């Protein structure tokens, strides 16, 4: 099959944030991942890239993936990955035991571990 025949196969529409580095630039850019497949992705962001630019993108639960810009239209562009990835990994939530991925305190259930004895509470 040609690229036109396989373009719509196994593509997940989603919304993730990712970090992007353009080869030859020191800056790291934040981009929105609009869709993702095993062979590439569509990104959206204010990044100065040209067709053929080498890039690296950090995807959640996958890490840094190398690729090249396949097309560009306004602030959206397509990235063709050098090696295929498993796009389902990016959809999965972070493991609960992963360091640095603890939920904020205000979103956790706050429960008293043992009931408080009313006789030890000081009355004011």
């Amino acid at each position: 099959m040609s690229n036109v025949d396989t373009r719509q196969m196994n593509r997940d529409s989603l919304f993730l944030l990712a970090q992007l580095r353009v080869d030859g630039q020191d800056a790291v850019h934040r981009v929105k991942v609009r869709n993702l497949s095993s062979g590439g992705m569509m990104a959206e962001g204010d990044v100065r890239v040209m067709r053929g630019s080498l890039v690296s993108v950090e995807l959640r639960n996958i890490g840094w993936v190398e690729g090249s810009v396949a097309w560009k239209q306004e602030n959206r562009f397509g990235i063709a990955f050098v090696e295929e990835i498993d796009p389902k990994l990016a959809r999965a939530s972070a493991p609960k035991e992963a360091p640095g991925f603890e939920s904020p305190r205000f979103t956790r259930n706050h429960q008293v571990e043992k009931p408080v004895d009313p006789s030890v509470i000081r009355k004011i």
Side-chain angles (χ1 to χ4, degrees), residues 98-102:
F101 289 103
E102 188 174 296

Side-chain angles (χ1 to χ4, degrees), residues 73-88:
Q73 185 175 22
E74 296 177 10
N75 66 339
R76 291 185 179 199
F77 52 97
I79 298 172
F81 298 143
V82 173
E83 294 182 15
E84 288 192 355
I85 62 161
D86 182 357
K88 291 178 185 172

Side-chain angles (χ1 to χ4, degrees), residues 22-84:
V22 180
D23 192 39
Q25 297 180 13
D26 292 332
V28 176
H29 306 277
R30 176 170 262 171
V31 295
K32 297 171 188 171
V33 179
R34 292 298 185 178
N35 64 46
L36 182 65
S37 70
S38 60
M41 63 179 263
M42 178 173 63
E44 179 180 340
D46 294 325
V47 183
R48 296 181 64 101
V49 292
M50 295 176 15
R51 187 170 181 245
S53 297
L54 298 177
V55 295
S56 296
V57 62
E58 184 180 30
L59 297 170
R60 179 176 70 185
N61 298 332
I62 295 174
W64 288 96
V65 180
E66 295 180 355
S68 62
V69 176
W71 58 268
K72 171 128 172 84
Q73 185 175 22
E74 296 177 10
N75 66 339
R76 291 185 179 199
F77 52 97
I79 298 172
F81 298 143
V82 173
E83 294 182 15
E84 288 192 355

